[in-house]
Amino acid sequence: MRHFLDVDDLAAPELVEVLDRADRQDHGLPLHGKGVALLFAKPSLRTRHSCEMGVIQLGGHPVSVRPDEIGVNDRETPADIARVLAGYHALLGARVFAHADLVGMAEPAAVPVINLLSDDAHPCQALTDLLTMRQVFGELQGRTVAWIGDHNNVARSLALGASLSGMALRFGCPEGYGPSPTDIDQFLALGALDVTVVHRPEEAAKGADAVHTDVWTSMGFEAEADDRDRAFEGFMVDDAVMAGAHDGAVFMHCLPAHRGEEVSATVIDGPASVVIQQAHNRLHAFRALAWWLAEENHR
Ligand code: CP
Ligand code: NVA
């Protein structure tokens, strides 16, 4: 059974295939008469709406629930929940705190499990980010992507996808908040052109084709917010940071954003920002992924 717990569950040609399908309208109704269960343990705007509408466009019926309604890890185990839901649904999607919950669901599930964000990874966002950069640049291979701020779930999945796409990676993170040596080895093994870690945002953005950032404190890490505010001081993506990027470089953010913290209003609301295109691409990327998974698991 093929699952999608992180981007490297796809081989490089499969990733290209999914991104190609995002631009296609000939998907038909592969989920006709089928259900898709979507569990959300954390808040969501983009993911819930893009998944529900993507399922509907494929002819299926989405059923969204909060894990407290069904008692994940309390009333019953992720494994039992997945085994039961697989009898009603063609796909299971889940947004969780612990990535291990997704692994626990995927292991016994007779249908694909899709990670809708965990503390460790946000692969549906990465598909969107790659799709958006491809729409802007044409070809990803050889382009440089800069990540400024926290090497969080969004950063990790983006780095995996960018590596599989043959891009160069630049990280501008405070000490202690960047990728580990193991992460860097993984990016290089997957095909990253080059991986650079620096501790100044201007240095990371210099010459980059796309400058990405995200909140300093992700959902579930609120107890660390004060420490993080101190650690990330000086890491805002502002006009000075963007000025050093490549001509025509874009600014990207998965949203929700905090203007005046990780990004200035002049940048996120300025001409280089593609954040709304990125958000809209969540629908096209998810529909393509669900279409591909539905087909792949029925070969
Ligand atoms: N980018 C993203 O995943 O947004 P939501 O948290 O609103 O789903
Ligand atoms: N890193 C953020 C992404 C939200 C879409 C979080 O996990 O809260």
Side-chain angles (χ1 to χ4, degrees):
M1 182 54 53
R2 298 296 301 271
H3 301 290
F4 189 65
L5 303 193
D6 210 340
V7 181
D8 60 338
D9 284 339
L10 301 179
E14 293 173 333
L15 177 58
V16 171
E17 168 70 19
V18 171
L19 295 177
D20 286 347
R21 287 182 185 220
D23 290 327
R24 285 169 50 186
Q25 298 302 317
D26 61 334
H27 44 76
L29 302 173
L31 296 179
H32 178 69
K34 295 181 176 167
V36 174
L38 301 167
L39 268 60
F40 285 94
K42 298 176 181 176
S44 174
L45 172 66
R46 283 144 289 272
T47 307
R48 178 164 177 186
H49 284 260
S50 60
C51 291
E52 291 203 7
M53 291 314 300
V55 169
I56 289 168
Q57 289 181 3
L58 295 174
H61 181 86
V63 180
S64 291
V65 287
R66 292 191 63 93
D68 50 289
E69 294 172 54
I70 55 177
V72 179
N73 282 320
D74 176 17
R75 193 160 176 261
E76 50 195 325
T77 64
D80 281 352
I81 289 167
R83 274 193 281 252
V84 171
L85 288 177
Y88 316 140
H89 296 285
L91 297 170
L92 309 180
R95 168 168 287 198
V96 299
F97 289 87
H99 193 80
D101 287 352
L102 284 167
V103 176
M105 291 177 73
E107 200 270 323
V111 299
V113 174
I114 301 175
N115 181 357
L116 304 182
L117 182 148
S118 68
D119 286 350
D120 295 353
H122 196 1
C124 291
Q125 182 66 47
L127 290 181
T128 302
D129 296 347
L130 296 170
L131 178 63
T132 307
M133 289 191 288
R134 220 172 69 151
Q135 289 169 349
V136 173
F137 308 138
E139 175 68 44
L140 295 177
Q141 168 84 36
R143 297 284 184 170
T144 299
V145 59
W147 179 273
I148 312 288
D150 186 21
H151 187 244
N152 62 13
N153 45 8
V154 174
R156 284 189 201 98
S157 294
L158 172 63
L160 294 177
S163 298
L164 284 166
S165 306
M167 301 179 82
L169 313 181
R170 298 259 197 80
F171 294 95
C173 310
E175 298 272 7
Y177 291 94
S180 68
T182 313
D183 291 326
I184 295 170
D185 287 346
Q186 188 185 13
F187 303 150
L188 290 168
L190 287 175
L193 212 53
D194 181 38
V195 182
T196 312
V197 181
V198 293
H199 302 300
R200 284 170 40 83
E202 302 80 6
E203 219 179 311
K206 200 159 180 240
D209 295 293
V211 179
H212 293 243
T213 190
D214 188 11
V215 293
W216 293 340
T217 302
S218 288
M219 295 180 280
F221 294 82
E222 289 79 5
E224 301 175 10
D226 289 345
D227 289 344
R228 286 172 168 272
D229 283 351
R230 277 190 289 276
F232 288 94
E233 210 172 306
F235 278 78
M236 177 163 54
V237 178
D238 58 14
D239 292 313
V241 172
M242 288 303 294
H246 198 271
D247 277 352
V250 290
F251 170 75
M252 300 182 66
H253 192 308
C254 62
L255 302 179
H258 298 128
R259 288 165 176 79
E261 290 184 23
E262 76 273 10
V263 59
S264 69
T266 51
V267 168
I268 195 168
D269 299 320
S273 176
V274 292
V275 299
I276 301 302
Q277 179 180 347
Q278 207 182 339
H280 291 172
N281 276 333
R282 290 295 306 271
L283 168 62
H284 308 302
F286 183 79
R287 186 185 60 234
L289 174 72
W291 175 20
W292 184 84
L293 279 171
E295 256 180 39
E296 191 61 25
N297 286 299
H298 284 96
R299 278 183 203 286

